[in-house]
Amino acid sequence: DTEVTQTPKHLVMGMTNKKSLKCEQHMGHRAMYWYKQKAKKPPELMFVYSYEKLSINESVPSRFSPECPNSSLLNLHLHALQPEDSALYLCASSRAGESYEQYFGPGTRLTVT
Amino acid sequence: GQSLEQPSEVTAVEGAIVQINCTYQTSGFYGLSWYQQHDGGAPTFLSYNALDGLEETGRFSSFLSRSDSYGYLLLQELQMKDSASYFCAVRAGNQGGKLIFGQGTELSVKP
């Protein structure tokens, strides 16, 4: 199984809402990533988890809160977002120490109104 | 710091060969990756070069020259389905878990 799944596919939320994005992989990967991608731009790294511990936070605003409940799951909790946070949010996974070969999920298209 | 440069757009016809170049500046280099992303889709890993030379995978090949800080992705026998964005990427030297992407090259394949 080389699939990374993400739910929901689309999300529309108001600036006062709280929502969560979910990501799951069953490849036995011990590194997981959250990216934000705007149209016609490369993926922009937000967080890296390695062995279920947060190893990189790219100075992401606290309205984004990641969580890694176990080695297969990754969540991104959203609260009080701004319209400029509207983007495609991608989850990815890789073998630990092999960030050069990442497997991406289909993403969640987030719109903040 | 880290930076990668690649052309923003490339156009080619079906059946042709196209080369997408990538030059990089990094502190601590481990290797160069290539990803493909179709419009509305997720990035897909294509190849990784850690050592100098050419790696071939079907119609796609990737080349690396560490001394020139340069690599390229070669696509042969182009098909319409190859129309997509292609990103080169390097691992950040002091943050092994971080992959830094180039701005992407939008490839358009015409009939």
Side-chain angles (χ1 to χ4, degrees):
Chain A
D1 183 1
T2 58
E3 192 181 45
V4 177
T5 59
Q6 287 188 245
T7 56
K9 283 189 166 51
H10 301 275
L11 179 62
V12 179
M13 60 186 289
M15 290 190 283
T16 57
N17 291 159
K18 283 186 184 180
K19 296 285 184 185
S20 296
L21 309 185
K22 296 187 183 305
C23 173
E24 189 167 8
Q25 57 89 14
H26 293 289
M27 292 179 277
H29 290 168
R30 301 306 294 274
M32 296 186 77
Y33 312 80
W34 279 116
Y35 289 88
K36 172 183 177 180
Q37 188 177 30
K38 294 273 200 178
K40 305 291 186 190
K41 294 290 187 185
E44 182 185 332
L45 184 67
M46 301 174 72
F47 303 103
V48 180
Y49 273 83
S50 180
Y51 293 98
E52 296 87 71
K53 296 211 177 328
L54 184 65
S55 60
I56 297 176
N57 175 345
E58 287 288 283
S59 303
V60 178
S62 59
R63 58 185 184 268
F64 295 91
S65 174
E67 178 196 19
C68 190
N70 61 53
S71 60
S72 301
L73 292 173
L74 189 65
N75 298 322
L76 186 63
H77 304 296
L78 315 173
H79 172 55
L81 294 192
Q82 303 297 308
E84 59 265 28
D85 296 322
S86 298
L88 181 67
Y89 287 83
L90 293 160
C91 171
S93 71
S94 75
R95 294 187 188 89
E98 295 185 8
S99 60
Y100 56 83
E101 183 174 347
Q102 295 184 22
Y103 290 80
F104 284 80
T108 294
R109 177 74 60 188
L110 174 67
T111 303
V112 182
T113 60
Chain B
Q2 329 273 344
S3 69
L4 298 98
E5 284 193 22
Q6 49 181 131
S8 58
E9 294 178 346
V10 172
T11 301
V13 296
E14 258 187 312
I17 299 172
V18 73
Q19 179 174 312
I20 299 173
N21 298 320
C22 175
T23 57
Y24 58 86
Q25 278 189 308
T26 65
S27 51
F29 177 77
Y30 293 92
L32 187 70
S33 299
W34 288 92
Y35 286 80
Q36 176 193 60
Q37 187 175 26
H38 286 99
D39 218 20
T44 303
F45 172 77
L46 291 177
S47 67
Y48 174 66
N49 293 65
L51 303 175
D52 286 358
L54 191 68
E55 296 273 347
E56 297 182 59
T57 310
R59 295 187 297 113
F60 293 6
S61 303
S62 56
F63 171 83
L64 177 66
S65 168
R66 295 172 68 111
S67 59
D68 295 321
S69 297
Y70 162 75
Y72 65 72
L73 181 69
L74 190 74
L75 297 86
Q76 302 182 76
E77 300 172 20
L78 279 175
Q79 301 176 8
M80 299 293 288
K81 67 179 182 179
D82 297 328
S83 294
S85 291
Y86 292 84
F87 296 94
C88 57
V90 297
R91 287 198 291 175
N94 58 351
Q95 289 183 293
K98 181 175 177 176
L99 201 59
I100 300 185
F101 287 85
Q103 290 300 302
T105 298
E106 190 168 350
L107 171 64
S108 297
V109 180
K110 308 289 186 191

